[in-house]
């Protein structure tokens, strides 16, 4: 029964109903037979809406098959004409990027492309706390003072009307490369390339900004080739070598890993594994990653460190790291970012505890949104804390840092609720000073005395989106597994369905009737344990991150032999040359519910 709770778990220790991801057993069998896939891989694919018509491209995504012609984007041709003219005339092209990983990788991609053409492009990354998100006129004027006659904004700019229009009036030409949801109005006098423009029909609305930037680079390279630029003694760059930057930005911006994004990330991870970028290699070294770099490392090891400079330190460090060709400089920057990341973790912990207390007061109601605010909260970590609240309560969450009557807010959403458009609508309604974003994330500025209005408006907007549906917390499962079956070979098989991320969830299995033979707290509130099967055979290492003070963590620590259904995903684990498997625990439930 597809409607029945998986293993009968109606309410788990994290408050979720378990459900089976696979609802069509026959389709999985057909995929197994047609493509010669292992049954478990076929089941995972069908559960993610992969059928015979798209299985080949899903398993072997290629840019040749999936990368669209950049010219299909509105105003891409105009942008290319202006930038190529600047290249030919020897103009200085400035770059202004956002301070997150998507902005840093987008900026680094353009810097490296222009450097390959023999052009030096000055970069400006606004300070998160002092300047806020997006372009501001003083920053643009600094680029103009550095000699720039043309500025390309990346991962920002679509709704920056006043500063961009003032910069145009001051004599700067502006090209905006962005992916955030746009209003019908665009900055006057600017060339805006954005698959999420109101007048755009592109199928590439899920691209991160670095993906749009890569399309720009492809278009520029083609135009230069057609203009015989490379025939005049200029070597044509290999664009593929920069796909590690594209993969890093795409994964960290949590856009769906399907279609062209899947091809960009798959190819980019292959480049990243070669560690040809000195900055990426140095960051992996300082983080202690001594194995092949994968999507997990990009999203949870490298990304947070690149972000740390923008959150609590120097916003420009990420771009400097990703563009340097000096190995020693890369090591020094990577170490600074690692230090900032530790500082960020300490700050985050304090804000998270305060925000969680406030969120729990709201979670008991029926509202489809959590919005908490606090004075003294560091604005550099509110996005991370919003993500934690979203995970904890399985509904959209916004966290606001208040100072001097003004709140800087960041929000994270759940599938099925587009938060960015809701925030933009609140801005248009006059509730926000500014705001924008995309489906899964948003940022905004709000006056403190409008917080209640904002909470009511967003809740109402989300309820209209849901159209009567209730946000019922649930967790999808791909099957049951015994500790004996959790082998490195199985992980390798499952990886054929990767890379995993937004839009392609990592397979999650349940160890039924598991018994905990050892447990304890490690690190900052992580619970590690060793599981065995219901018959007492088999051993499987497991860990539940940031769970020690939660019902899940307490159940793992105090099981005392009581059986639990334990759900999580399998990860390869190597120690001193020995390969094993570890379960990353997501949830658990008393086995009596089965």
């Amino acid at each position: 029964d597809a409607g029945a709770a998986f293993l009968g778990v109606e309410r788990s220790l994290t408050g979720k109903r378990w459900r089976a991801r696979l609802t069509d057993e026959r389709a999985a069998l057909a995929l197994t037979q047609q493509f010669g896939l292992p049954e478990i891989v076929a089941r995972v694919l069908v559960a993610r809406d992969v059928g015979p018509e798209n299985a080949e491209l899903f398993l072997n995504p290629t840019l040749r098959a999936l990368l669209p012609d950049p010219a299909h984007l509105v105003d891409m041709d105009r942008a290319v004409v202006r930038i190529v003219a600047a290249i030919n005339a020897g103009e200085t092209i400035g770059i202004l990027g956002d301070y997150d990983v998507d902005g840093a990788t987008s900026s680094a991609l353009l810097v490296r492309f222009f450097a390959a053409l023999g052009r030096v492009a000055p970069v400006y990354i606004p300070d998160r706390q002092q300047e806020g998100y997006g372009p501001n006129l003083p920053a643009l004027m600094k680029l103009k003072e550095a000699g720039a006659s043309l500025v390309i904004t990346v991962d920002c700019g679509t709704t920056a009307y006043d500063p961009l229009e003032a910069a145009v009036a001051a004599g700067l030409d502006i090209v905006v490369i962005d992916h955030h949801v746009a209003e019908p109005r665009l900055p006057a006098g600017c060339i805006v390339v954005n698959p999420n423009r109101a007048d755009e029909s592109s199928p590439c609305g899920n691209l991160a900004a670095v993906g749009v930037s890569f399309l720009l680079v492809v278009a520029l390279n083609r135009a230069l080739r057609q203009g015989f630029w490379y025939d005049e003694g200029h070597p044509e760059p290999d664009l593929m070598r920069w796909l590690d930057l594209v993969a890093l930005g795409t994964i960290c911006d949590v856009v769906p890993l399907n279609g062209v994004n899947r091809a960009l990330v798959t190819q980019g991870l292959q480049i990243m594994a070669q560690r040809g970028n000195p900055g990426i290699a140095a960051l992996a070294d300082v983080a202690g990653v001594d194995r092949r770099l994968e999507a997990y490392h990009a999203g949870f090891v490298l990304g947070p460190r690149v972000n740390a400079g923008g959150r609590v330190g120097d916003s420009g460090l990420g771009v400097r790291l990703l563009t340097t060709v000096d190995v020693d400089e890369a090591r020094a920057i990577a170490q600074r970012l690692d230090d900032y990341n530790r500082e960020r973790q300490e700050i985050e912990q304090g804000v998270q505890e305060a925000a969680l207390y406030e969120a729990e007061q709201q979670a008991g109601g029926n509202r489809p949104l959590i919005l908490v605010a606090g004075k003294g909260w560091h604005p550099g970590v509110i996005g991370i804390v919003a993500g934690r609240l979203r995970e904890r309560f399985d509904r959209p969450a916004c966290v606001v840092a208040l100072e001097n009557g003004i709140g800087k807010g960041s929000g994270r959403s759940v599938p099925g609720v587009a938060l960015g458009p809701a925030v933009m609508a609140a801005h248009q309604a006059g509730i926000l000073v500014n705001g924008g974003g995309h489906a899964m994330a948003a940022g905004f500025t709000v006056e403190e005395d409008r917080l209640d209005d904002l909470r009511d408006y967003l809740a109402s907007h989300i309820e209209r989106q849901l159209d009567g549906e209730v946000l019922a917390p649930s967790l999808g499962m791909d099957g049951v597994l015994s500790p004996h079956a959790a082998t490195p070979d199985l992980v390798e098989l499952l990886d054929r369905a990767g890379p995993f991320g937004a839009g392609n969830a990592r397979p999650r299995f349940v160890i039924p009737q598991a018994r905990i033979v050892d447990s304890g707290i490690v690190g900052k509130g992580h619970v590690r344990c060793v599981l065995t099967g219901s018959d007492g055979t088999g051993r499987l290492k497991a860990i539940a991150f940031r769970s020690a003070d939660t019902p899940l963590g307490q159940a793992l620590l105090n099981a005392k032999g009581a059986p639990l259904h334990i759900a999580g995903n399998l990860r390869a684990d190597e120690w001193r040359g020995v390969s094993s498997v570890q379960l990353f625990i997501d949830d658990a439930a008393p086995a009596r519910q089965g």
Side-chain angles (χ1 to χ4, degrees), residues 272-322:
M272 190 182 296
Q274 300 170 13
R275 303 198 184 202
N277 183 301
I280 290 177
L283 209 55
D285 289 343
V286 81
V289 181
D290 57 1
R291 53 174 296 187
R292 179 186 175 90
L293 292 170
E294 299 174 350
Y296 170 79
H297 301 112
F300 295 97
V301 179
L302 305 181
R305 286 170 170 80
V306 173
N307 252 338
R311 293 190 185 281
V312 299
D314 180 347
S315 295
L317 279 182
V319 175
R320 286 175 54 196
L321 177 78
L322 298 173

Side-chain angles (χ1 to χ4, degrees), residues 229-479:
W229 204 81
Y230 296 124
D231 294 338
E232 300 173 2
H234 304 105
E236 182 170 347
D238 176 12
L239 307 187
M240 298 291 285
R241 62 178 165 158
W242 299 318
L243 283 175
D244 52 359
L245 296 171
V246 181
L248 179 60
T250 299
I251 292 169
C252 291
D253 216 52
V254 201
V255 293
L257 298 188
N258 50 36
V260 64
N261 282 339
R262 185 169 175 77
L264 290 169
V265 169
T266 299
Q267 300 296 320
L269 287 174
Q270 294 177 18
I271 304 299
M272 190 182 296
Q274 300 170 13
R275 303 198 184 202
N277 183 301
I280 290 177
L283 209 55
D285 289 343
V286 81
V289 181
D290 57 1
R291 53 174 296 187
R292 179 186 175 90
L293 292 170
E294 299 174 350
Y296 170 79
H297 301 112
F300 295 97
V301 179
L302 305 181
R305 286 170 170 80
V306 173
N307 252 338
R311 293 190 185 281
V312 299
D314 180 347
S315 295
L317 279 182
V319 175
R320 286 175 54 196
L321 177 78
L322 298 173
T323 55
T324 185
V325 295
D326 186 309
V327 173
D328 291 334
E329 182 184 23
R331 288 190 189 125
I333 296 174
Q335 186 59 61
R336 285 184 65 191
L337 287 171
D338 191 58
D339 293 341
Y340 281 136
N341 192 51
R342 289 194 184 92
E343 180 182 346
R344 183 272 303 171
Q345 290 172 328
E346 294 176 1
I347 295 170
E348 175 195 332
Q349 183 63 33
V351 175
Q352 182 173 323
E353 290 175 0
L356 182 59
Y357 176 81
E358 297 293 332
E360 286 174 340
Q361 313 308 307
Q362 300 178 24
N366 295 321
R367 285 200 165 192
L369 168 81
I370 286 174
L371 192 154
V372 296
K375 295 179 180 178
W377 292 359
H378 196 297
V381 301
I382 56 175
I384 300 175
V385 174
R388 301 270 190 254
L389 297 183
R390 184 266 317 274
E391 293 169 5
R392 182 75 167 260
F393 299 104
D394 224 33
R395 68 186 76 176
C398 296
V399 179
V400 183
L402 297 172
E403 184 177 359
N404 299 324
I406 296 294
K408 297 290 185 181
S410 186
R412 298 293 183 269
S413 194
V414 296
V417 176
L419 186 59
V423 166
M424 290 186 64
H427 179 217
Q428 292 168 349
I431 296 172
L432 296 174
V433 177
N434 57 52
H438 48 79
M440 298 301 289
F444 55 86
T445 301
V446 60
E447 295 175 349
E448 185 175 357
D449 59 6
R450 299 302 302 273
L451 278 173
D452 288 340
D453 295 335
L454 176 62
R455 186 181 289 109
D456 292 341
Y457 186 92
L458 291 179
S460 176
H461 196 286
I462 291 170
E463 286 171 350
R464 288 198 299 274
Q465 288 189 48
L466 293 172
D467 193 24
E469 292 185 25
V470 177
L471 278 175
S474 68
L475 204 62
M477 305 296 170
D478 288 289

